[in-house]
Amino acid sequence: MTPPTNPAPAPAATTGPGADRVVPTVGPVAAPDLHLMTYNVRRRMPQVLTTRHALADRWSTRLPALRLLLEAERPSVLGIQEALPDQSAQLADALGADYASVGTGRDRDRGGERVELHVDTTRLRIVRHEALWLSATPTVPGSRSYGNMIPRTAVHAELDDLVTGARLHVVVTHFDHLSARSRRHSAVQLRTFTDALDGPVVVMGDFNAVVDSPAHRELTRGRLVDSRMVADARLDPGWGSFSNYGPPRTGGRRLDWLLVDTGAHVERAGVGGVRPGGVTPSDHDPVHAVVRWPSGHAAPRPPEDPTAEHGPVEHCTTEHRPEES
């Protein structure tokens, strides 16, 4: 049976006194629920005015809308893909002092395009975190071995829920956009990695593949399920997550997924189509899920590893090649 679908969120006003008011797809939630959100924010690209969507793609146009969107949504955990270092710093500033972030650039020097997690520290505490390169040598920065020309990464964080006492794992990633072989091998690598984790698990990101692709089937053949498929209610009427600066489209490609372990209760999930002030903040739309875990499924807190990696992400301003991703 298909879960019920909630009406699409009302768009923000574009003129008048309500122009800065954004109606969120989900917004803040109360414990024990967690609001999970993944978003490819589209890296800042050189402006070629003869290309399609060149004006809509301008970061200077998109950033104010993205700030309004983040201020309205206030997710418990936000996974970001495709942010350059200066964009990462601007996103952290938009979220404010209550959020901590961990992440890495994909290149050998850990610079360049990033994947990262932003965590609401009023609800969750980052216990440890690590970066993985999607390759046969995952601890080697910049490594690649699955057929992708660009290094691809994942970031894993172990989090304490300060309200429920649970400990959970969140992984954010960005799969290759050209190589299906790379996406399949990356899915095997992440499934193997998450299968070895104790307690609740979330995997989110831009997978550059549609639902029922080999990568999706590989990731969901173990402990993980697609949150939208198991939600009590869906937040969209069947939208894809890649709108390419157009309106949300029913039947479009859902390239961004939010996966949870089978012990999770997903209350709501789906694609958000909010356009603050009529502006589309990215060529992708965010994916949301409101999730809780039964108390019996929450992993007890193990002793902390004093050698574990801690601390926020470092924001730098190094520029790197502007290839498509």
Side-chain angles (χ1 to χ4, degrees), residues 161-237:
D161 190 323
L162 301 176
V163 177
T164 68
R167 180 164 288 185
L168 64 148
H169 300 270
V170 182
V171 177
V172 62
T173 191
H174 189 186
F175 281 9
D176 194 65
H177 65 306
L178 293 176
S179 173
R181 176 175 178 269
S182 172
R183 292 191 291 270
R184 181 172 58 82
H185 279 285
S186 297
V188 172
Q189 179 179 338
L190 283 190
R191 182 182 56 77
T192 303
F193 176 79
T194 56
D195 280 351
L197 298 174
D198 292 327
V201 174
V202 176
V203 177
M204 61 172 72
D206 174 7
F207 296 88
N208 272 308
V210 296
V211 175
D212 203 35
S213 64
H216 189 272
R217 291 196 300 269
E218 182 63 43
L219 274 169
T220 57
R221 74 180 182 89
R223 68 183 301 190
L224 297 172
V225 294
D226 191 317
S227 62
R228 190 180 184 281
M229 294 180 173
V230 299
D232 292 345
R234 291 179 179 169
L235 297 168
D236 66 80

Coordinates of all heavy atoms in Angstrom, one line a residue, residues 161-237:
D161 N 22.8 11.2 21.3 CA 21.5 11.9 21.4 C 21.4 12.4 22.9 O 21.2 11.6 23.8 CB 20.3 11.0 21.1 CG 19.0 11.8 21.0 OD1 18.8 12.7 21.7 OD2 18.2 11.5 20.1
L162 N 21.5 13.7 23.1 CA 21.5 14.2 24.5 C 20.2 14.1 25.2 O 20.1 14.3 26.4 CB 21.9 15.7 24.4 CG 23.3 16.0 23.8 CD1 23.6 17.5 23.7 CD2 24.4 15.3 24.6
V163 N 19.1 13.9 24.4 CA 17.8 13.7 25.0 C 17.4 12.3 25.3 O 17.0 11.9 26.4 CB 16.7 14.3 24.1 CG1 15.3 14.2 24.7 CG2 17.0 15.8 23.9
T164 N 17.6 11.4 24.4 CA 17.2 10.0 24.5 C 18.3 9.1 25.1 O 18.0 8.0 25.5 CB 16.7 9.4 23.2 OG1 17.9 9.3 22.3 CG2 15.7 10.3 22.5
G165 N 19.6 9.6 25.0 CA 20.7 8.8 25.5 C 21.2 7.8 24.5 O 22.1 7.0 24.7
A166 N 20.6 7.8 23.3 CA 21.0 6.8 22.2 C 22.3 7.3 21.6 O 22.6 8.5 21.6 CB 19.9 6.7 21.2
R167 N 23.0 6.4 21.0 CA 24.1 6.7 20.1 C 23.8 6.2 18.7 O 23.4 5.1 18.5 CB 25.4 6.0 20.7 CG 26.6 6.3 19.8 CD 27.9 6.0 20.6 NE 28.2 7.0 21.6 CZ 29.3 7.0 22.4 NH1 30.2 6.1 22.2 NH2 29.5 7.9 23.3
L168 N 24.1 7.0 17.7 CA 23.8 6.7 16.4 C 24.9 7.1 15.5 O 25.8 7.9 15.8 CB 22.5 7.3 15.9 CG 22.4 8.9 15.8 CD1 21.5 9.3 14.6 CD2 21.9 9.5 17.1
H169 N 24.9 6.4 14.3 CA 26.0 6.7 13.3 C 25.3 7.3 12.0 O 24.3 6.9 11.6 CB 26.6 5.4 12.8 CG 27.3 4.6 13.9 ND1 28.6 4.8 14.3 CD2 26.8 3.7 14.8 CE1 28.9 4.0 15.3 NE2 27.8 3.3 15.6
V170 N 26.0 8.4 11.5 CA 25.5 9.0 10.3 C 26.6 9.1 9.3 O 27.7 9.5 9.7 CB 24.9 10.4 10.6 CG1 24.4 11.1 9.3 CG2 23.9 10.4 11.6
V171 N 26.3 8.7 8.1 CA 27.3 8.7 7.0 C 26.7 9.6 5.9 O 25.6 9.4 5.5 CB 27.6 7.3 6.4 CG1 28.6 7.4 5.2 CG2 28.2 6.4 7.5
V172 N 27.5 10.5 5.4 CA 27.1 11.3 4.2 C 28.1 11.1 3.1 O 29.3 10.9 3.3 CB 27.1 12.8 4.6 CG1 28.4 13.4 5.0 CG2 26.6 13.7 3.4
T173 N 27.6 11.0 1.8 CA 28.5 10.7 0.7 C 28.1 11.4 -0.6 O 27.0 11.9 -0.6 CB 28.6 9.2 0.6 OG1 29.7 8.8 -0.3 CG2 27.3 8.6 0.0
H174 N 28.9 11.3 -1.6 CA 28.6 11.8 -2.9 C 29.2 10.8 -3.9 O 30.5 10.8 -4.0 CB 29.1 13.2 -3.1 CG 28.7 13.9 -4.3 ND1 29.2 15.1 -4.7 CD2 27.8 13.5 -5.3 CE1 28.6 15.5 -5.9 NE2 27.8 14.5 -6.2
F175 N 28.4 10.0 -4.6 CA 28.9 9.0 -5.5 C 29.3 9.7 -6.9 O 28.9 10.8 -7.2 CB 27.9 7.9 -5.8 CG 27.8 6.9 -4.7 CD1 28.5 7.0 -3.5 CD2 27.1 5.8 -4.9 CE1 28.4 6.1 -2.5 CE2 27.0 4.8 -3.9 CZ 27.7 4.9 -2.7
D176 N 30.0 8.9 -7.7 CA 30.5 9.5 -8.9 C 29.4 9.7 -9.9 O 28.4 8.9 -10.0 CB 31.6 8.5 -9.6 CG 32.3 9.2 -10.7 OD1 33.1 10.1 -10.4 OD2 32.2 8.8 -11.8
H177 N 29.5 10.7 -10.8 CA 28.5 11.1 -11.7 C 28.6 10.4 -13.0 O 27.6 10.5 -13.8 CB 28.4 12.6 -11.9 CG 29.6 13.2 -12.5 ND1 30.9 13.0 -12.1 CD2 29.8 14.0 -13.6 CE1 31.8 13.6 -12.8 NE2 31.1 14.2 -13.8
L178 N 29.7 9.8 -13.3 CA 29.9 9.2 -14.7 C 30.0 7.7 -14.6 O 29.4 7.0 -15.5 CB 31.2 9.8 -15.3 CG 31.2 11.2 -15.7 CD1 32.6 11.6 -16.2 CD2 30.2 11.6 -16.7
S179 N 30.7 7.1 -13.7 CA 31.0 5.7 -13.7 C 30.0 4.9 -12.9 O 30.0 5.0 -11.6 CB 32.4 5.5 -13.1 OG 32.7 4.1 -13.0
A180 N 29.2 4.1 -13.6 CA 28.3 3.2 -12.9 C 29.1 2.1 -12.1 O 28.6 1.7 -11.0 CB 27.3 2.5 -13.9
R181 N 30.2 1.7 -12.6 CA 31.1 0.7 -11.9 C 31.5 1.3 -10.6 O 31.5 0.7 -9.5 CB 32.2 0.4 -12.8 CG 33.2 -0.6 -12.1 CD 34.3 -1.0 -13.1 NE 35.3 -1.8 -12.4 CZ 36.4 -1.4 -11.8 NH1 36.7 -0.1 -11.8 NH2 37.3 -2.2 -11.3
S182 N 31.9 2.6 -10.6 CA 32.4 3.3 -9.4 C 31.2 3.3 -8.3 O 31.4 3.1 -7.2 CB 32.9 4.7 -9.7 OG 33.1 5.4 -8.5
R183 N 30.0 3.7 -8.8 CA 28.9 3.8 -7.9 C 28.6 2.4 -7.2 O 28.3 2.3 -6.0 CB 27.7 4.3 -8.6 CG 27.8 5.8 -9.1 CD 26.5 6.3 -9.5 NE 26.0 5.8 -10.8 CZ 26.3 6.2 -12.0 NH1 27.2 7.3 -12.1 NH2 25.8 5.7 -13.1
R184 N 28.7 1.3 -8.0 CA 28.4 0.0 -7.5 C 29.4 -0.4 -6.4 O 29.1 -0.9 -5.4 CB 28.3 -1.0 -8.6 CG 27.9 -2.4 -8.1 CD 27.7 -3.4 -9.3 NE 28.8 -3.5 -10.2 CZ 29.9 -4.2 -10.0 NH1 30.0 -5.0 -8.9 NH2 30.9 -4.3 -10.9
H185 N 30.7 -0.2 -6.8 CA 31.8 -0.5 -5.8 C 31.7 0.3 -4.6 O 31.9 -0.1 -3.5 CB 33.1 -0.4 -6.5 CG 33.5 -1.6 -7.4 ND1 33.9 -2.8 -6.8 CD2 33.5 -1.7 -8.7 CE1 34.2 -3.6 -7.8 NE2 34.0 -3.0 -9.0
S186 N 31.3 1.6 -4.8 CA 31.2 2.5 -3.6 C 30.1 2.0 -2.7 O 30.2 2.1 -1.5 CB 30.9 3.9 -4.1 OG 32.0 4.4 -4.8
A187 N 29.0 1.6 -3.3 CA 27.8 1.1 -2.5 C 28.3 -0.2 -1.7 O 27.9 -0.3 -0.6 CB 26.7 0.7 -3.5
V188 N 29.0 -1.1 -2.4 CA 29.5 -2.3 -1.6 C 30.4 -1.8 -0.5 O 30.2 -2.4 0.7 CB 30.3 -3.2 -2.6 CG1 30.9 -4.3 -1.8 CG2 29.3 -3.8 -3.6
Q189 N 31.3 -0.9 -0.7 CA 32.1 -0.4 0.4 C 31.4 0.2 1.5 O 31.6 -0.1 2.7 CB 33.1 0.6 -0.2 CG 34.1 1.2 0.8 CD 35.0 2.2 0.3 OE1 35.3 2.2 -1.0 NE2 35.6 3.0 1.1
L190 N 30.4 1.0 1.2 CA 29.6 1.6 2.3 C 28.7 0.6 3.0 O 28.5 0.7 4.2 CB 28.8 2.8 1.8 CG 29.6 4.1 1.5 CD1 28.6 5.2 1.3 CD2 30.5 4.5 2.7
R191 N 28.1 -0.3 2.3 CA 27.3 -1.3 2.9 C 28.1 -2.2 3.9 O 27.7 -2.5 5.0 CB 26.6 -2.2 1.9 CG 25.7 -3.3 2.5 CD 25.0 -4.2 1.5 NE 26.0 -4.8 0.6 CZ 26.8 -5.9 1.0 NH1 26.7 -6.3 2.3 NH2 27.6 -6.4 0.2
T192 N 29.3 -2.6 3.4 CA 30.2 -3.3 4.3 C 30.6 -2.5 5.5 O 30.6 -3.1 6.6 CB 31.5 -3.8 3.5 OG1 31.1 -4.5 2.3 CG2 32.4 -4.6 4.4
F193 N 30.9 -1.3 5.3 CA 31.3 -0.4 6.5 C 30.1 -0.3 7.5 O 30.3 -0.4 8.7 CB 31.7 1.0 5.9 CG 32.0 2.0 7.0 CD1 33.2 2.0 7.6 CD2 31.1 3.0 7.3 CE1 33.5 2.9 8.6 CE2 31.4 3.9 8.3 CZ 32.6 3.9 8.9
T194 N 28.9 0.0 7.0 CA 27.8 0.2 7.9 C 27.3 -1.1 8.5 O 26.8 -1.0 9.7 CB 26.6 1.0 7.2 OG1 26.2 0.2 6.0 CG2 27.1 2.3 6.7
D195 N 27.5 -2.2 7.9 CA 27.1 -3.5 8.5 C 27.9 -3.7 9.7 O 27.4 -4.5 10.6 CB 27.2 -4.6 7.5 CG 26.1 -4.7 6.5 OD1 25.1 -4.0 6.6 OD2 26.2 -5.5 5.5
A196 N 29.1 -3.2 9.8 CA 29.9 -3.5 11.0 C 29.7 -2.5 12.1 O 30.3 -2.7 13.2 CB 31.4 -3.4 10.5
L197 N 28.8 -1.5 12.0 CA 28.5 -0.6 13.0 C 27.5 -1.1 14.0 O 26.5 -1.7 13.5 CB 28.1 0.8 12.4 CG 29.1 1.5 11.5 CD1 28.4 2.7 10.8 CD2 30.3 1.9 12.2
D198 N 27.6 -0.8 15.2 CA 26.6 -1.1 16.2 C 25.6 0.0 16.5 O 26.0 1.2 16.6 CB 27.3 -1.5 17.6 CG 28.1 -2.7 17.5 OD1 27.7 -3.6 16.8 OD2 29.1 -2.8 18.2
G199 N 24.3 -0.3 16.5 CA 23.3 0.7 16.8 C 22.8 1.3 15.5 O 23.0 0.9 14.4
P200 N 21.9 2.3 15.7 CA 21.2 3.0 14.6 C 22.2 3.6 13.6 O 23.2 4.1 13.9 CB 20.4 4.1 15.3 CG 20.2 3.6 16.7 CD 21.4 2.8 17.0
V201 N 21.8 3.5 12.3 CA 22.6 3.9 11.2 C 21.8 4.7 10.2 O 20.7 4.4 9.9 CB 23.3 2.8 10.5 CG1 24.1 3.2 9.2 CG2 24.3 2.0 11.4
V202 N 22.4 5.8 9.7 CA 21.8 6.6 8.7 C 22.9 6.8 7.6 O 24.0 7.1 7.9 CB 21.4 8.0 9.2 CG1 20.9 8.9 8.0 CG2 20.3 7.9 10.3
V203 N 22.5 6.6 6.3 CA 23.4 6.9 5.2 C 22.6 7.9 4.3 O 21.5 7.6 3.8 CB 23.8 5.6 4.4 CG1 24.6 6.0 3.2 CG2 24.5 4.7 5.3
M204 N 23.2 9.0 4.0 CA 22.5 10.0 3.2 C 23.5 10.6 2.1 O 24.7 10.5 2.3 CB 22.0 11.1 4.1 CG 23.1 11.9 4.9 SD 22.5 13.3 5.7 CE 21.5 12.6 7.0
G205 N 22.9 11.1 1.1 CA 23.8 11.8 0.1 C 23.2 11.9 -1.3 O 22.1 11.5 -1.5
D206 N 24.1 12.3 -2.2 CA 23.8 12.4 -3.6 C 24.5 11.2 -4.2 O 25.7 11.1 -4.3 CB 24.3 13.7 -4.2 CG 24.2 13.7 -5.8 OD1 23.6 12.8 -6.3 OD2 24.7 14.7 -6.4
F207 N 23.7 10.2 -4.7 CA 24.3 8.9 -5.2 C 24.4 8.9 -6.7 O 24.8 7.9 -7.3 CB 23.4 7.8 -4.7 CG 23.5 7.7 -3.2 CD1 22.6 8.4 -2.4 CD2 24.4 6.9 -2.6 CE1 22.6 8.3 -1.0 CE2 24.5 6.8 -1.2 CZ 23.6 7.5 -0.4
N208 N 23.9 10.0 -7.4 CA 24.0 10.1 -8.8 C 23.5 8.8 -9.5 O 23.9 8.4 -10.6 CB 25.4 10.3 -9.3 CG 25.8 11.8 -9.3 OD1 25.0 12.6 -9.9 ND2 26.8 12.2 -8.6
A209 N 22.4 8.2 -8.9 CA 21.8 7.0 -9.5 C 20.4 7.0 -9.0 O 20.0 7.6 -8.0 CB 22.5 5.8 -9.0
V210 N 19.5 6.4 -9.8 CA 18.1 6.4 -9.5 C 17.8 5.2 -8.6 O 18.6 4.3 -8.4 CB 17.2 6.3 -10.8 CG1 17.4 7.5 -11.6 CG2 17.6 5.0 -11.6
V211 N 16.6 5.3 -8.0 CA 16.1 4.2 -7.2 C 16.0 2.9 -8.1 O 15.6 3.0 -9.2 CB 14.7 4.6 -6.6 CG1 14.1 3.4 -5.8 CG2 14.9 5.8 -5.7
D212 N 16.3 1.8 -7.5 CA 16.4 0.5 -8.2 C 17.6 0.4 -9.1 O 17.6 -0.6 -9.9 CB 15.1 0.2 -8.9 CG 14.9 -1.3 -9.1 OD1 15.3 -2.1 -8.2 OD2 14.4 -1.7 -10.2
S213 N 18.5 1.3 -9.0 CA 19.8 1.1 -9.7 C 20.6 0.1 -9.0 O 20.3 -0.3 -7.8 CB 20.5 2.4 -9.8 OG 20.8 2.9 -8.5
P214 N 21.7 -0.4 -9.6 CA 22.6 -1.4 -8.9 C 23.1 -0.8 -7.6 O 23.2 -1.5 -6.6 CB 23.7 -1.6 -9.9 CG 23.0 -1.5 -11.2 CD 22.1 -0.3 -11.0
A215 N 23.4 0.5 -7.5 CA 23.9 1.1 -6.3 C 22.8 1.1 -5.2 O 23.1 0.8 -4.1 CB 24.4 2.5 -6.6
H216 N 21.6 1.5 -5.6 CA 20.5 1.5 -4.6 C 20.2 0.1 -4.1 O 20.0 -0.1 -2.9 CB 19.3 2.1 -5.3 CG 18.2 2.4 -4.3 ND1 17.2 1.5 -4.0 CD2 17.9 3.5 -3.6 CE1 16.3 2.0 -3.2 NE2 16.7 3.3 -2.9
R217 N 20.2 -0.9 -5.0 CA 19.9 -2.2 -4.6 C 21.0 -2.8 -3.7 O 20.7 -3.5 -2.7 CB 19.7 -3.1 -5.9 CG 18.5 -2.9 -6.7 CD 18.2 -4.0 -7.6 NE 19.3 -4.2 -8.6 CZ 19.4 -3.7 -9.8 NH1 18.5 -2.8 -10.2 NH2 20.4 -3.9 -10.6
E218 N 22.2 -2.4 -4.0 CA 23.3 -2.9 -3.2 C 23.3 -2.3 -1.8 O 23.4 -3.1 -0.8 CB 24.7 -2.5 -3.8 CG 25.9 -3.0 -3.1 CD 26.0 -4.5 -3.0 OE1 25.7 -5.2 -4.0 OE2 26.3 -5.1 -1.9
L219 N 23.0 -1.1 -1.6 CA 22.9 -0.4 -0.3 C 21.7 -0.9 0.5 O 21.8 -0.9 1.7 CB 22.9 1.1 -0.5 CG 24.3 1.8 -0.6 CD1 24.1 3.2 -1.0 CD2 25.1 1.7 0.7
T220 N 20.7 -1.2 -0.1 CA 19.4 -1.6 0.6 C 19.2 -3.1 0.7 O 18.1 -3.6 1.0 CB 18.2 -0.9 0.0 OG1 18.1 -1.3 -1.4 CG2 18.3 0.6 0.1
R221 N 20.2 -3.9 0.4 CA 20.0 -5.4 0.5 C 20.5 -5.9 1.8 O 20.4 -7.1 2.1 CB 20.8 -6.1 -0.6 CG 22.3 -6.2 -0.5 CD 22.8 -6.9 -1.7 NE 24.3 -7.1 -1.7 CZ 24.9 -8.2 -1.1 NH1 24.2 -9.1 -0.5 NH2 26.2 -8.3 -1.1
G222 N 20.9 -5.0 2.7 CA 21.3 -5.5 4.1 C 20.4 -4.8 5.1 O 19.2 -4.9 5.1
R223 N 21.0 -4.1 6.0 CA 20.3 -3.5 7.1 C 19.6 -2.1 6.8 O 18.9 -1.6 7.6 CB 21.3 -3.3 8.3 CG 22.3 -2.2 8.0 CD 23.3 -2.1 9.2 NE 22.7 -1.8 10.4 CZ 23.4 -1.4 11.5 NH1 24.7 -1.4 11.5 NH2 22.7 -1.1 12.6
L224 N 19.9 -1.6 5.6 CA 19.4 -0.2 5.3 C 18.1 -0.3 4.4 O 18.0 -1.2 3.5 CB 20.5 0.6 4.6 CG 21.7 0.9 5.4 CD1 22.8 1.5 4.5 CD2 21.4 1.8 6.6
V225 N 17.2 0.6 4.6 CA 16.1 0.8 3.8 C 15.9 2.3 3.4 O 16.5 3.2 4.0 CB 14.8 0.4 4.5 CG1 14.8 -1.1 4.8 CG2 14.6 1.1 5.8
D226 N 15.3 2.5 2.3 CA 15.0 3.9 1.8 C 13.9 4.5 2.6 O 12.8 4.0 2.6 CB 14.6 3.8 0.3 CG 14.6 5.1 -0.4 OD1 14.1 6.1 0.2 OD2 15.1 5.2 -1.5
S227 N 14.2 5.6 3.3 CA 13.3 6.2 4.2 C 12.0 6.6 3.5 O 10.9 6.4 4.1 CB 13.9 7.4 4.9 OG 14.2 8.4 3.9
R228 N 12.0 7.0 2.3 CA 10.8 7.4 1.6 C 9.9 6.2 1.3 O 8.7 6.4 1.3 CB 11.1 8.1 0.3 CG 9.9 8.8 -0.4 CD 10.2 9.4 -1.7 NE 9.1 10.1 -2.2 CZ 8.1 9.5 -2.9 NH1 8.1 8.2 -3.1 NH2 7.0 10.2 -3.3
M229 N 10.5 5.0 1.1 CA 9.7 3.9 0.8 C 9.0 3.3 2.1 O 8.0 2.6 1.9 CB 10.5 2.8 0.2 CG 11.1 3.2 -1.2 SD 12.1 1.8 -1.9 CE 12.4 2.5 -3.5
V230 N 9.5 3.6 3.3 CA 8.9 3.0 4.5 C 8.2 4.0 5.4 O 7.7 3.7 6.4 CB 10.0 2.2 5.3 CG1 10.6 1.1 4.5 CG2 11.1 3.2 5.8
A231 N 8.1 5.3 4.9 CA 7.6 6.3 5.8 C 6.1 6.2 5.9 O 5.4 5.7 5.0 CB 7.9 7.7 5.1
D232 N 5.6 6.6 7.1 CA 4.2 6.6 7.4 C 3.5 7.6 6.4 O 2.3 7.4 6.0 CB 3.9 7.0 8.8 CG 4.3 6.0 9.8 OD1 4.6 4.8 9.4 OD2 4.4 6.3 11.0
A233 N 4.1 8.7 6.1 CA 3.6 9.7 5.2 C 4.7 10.2 4.3 O 5.9 10.4 4.8 CB 2.9 10.8 6.0
R234 N 4.4 10.5 3.1 CA 5.4 11.1 2.2 C 5.2 12.6 2.0 O 4.1 13.1 2.0 CB 5.3 10.4 0.8 CG 5.7 9.0 0.9 CD 5.6 8.3 -0.5 NE 6.1 6.9 -0.4 CZ 5.9 6.0 -1.3 NH1 5.2 6.3 -2.4 NH2 6.3 4.7 -1.1
L235 N 6.3 13.3 1.9 CA 6.3 14.7 1.9 C 6.1 15.3 0.5 O 6.0 16.5 0.3 CB 7.6 15.3 2.5 CG 7.8 15.0 4.0 CD1 9.2 15.3 4.4 CD2 6.8 15.7 4.8
D236 N 6.1 14.5 -0.5 CA 6.0 14.9 -1.9 C 5.1 14.0 -2.7 O 4.9 12.8 -2.2 CB 7.4 15.0 -2.5 CG 8.0 13.6 -2.7 OD1 7.7 12.9 -3.6 OD2 8.9 13.2 -1.9
P237 N 4.6 14.4 -3.8 CA 3.7 13.5 -4.6 C 4.5 12.7 -5.6 O 3.9 12.3 -6.6 CB 2.8 14.6 -5.3 CG 3.7 15.8 -5.5 CD 4.6 15.8 -4.3

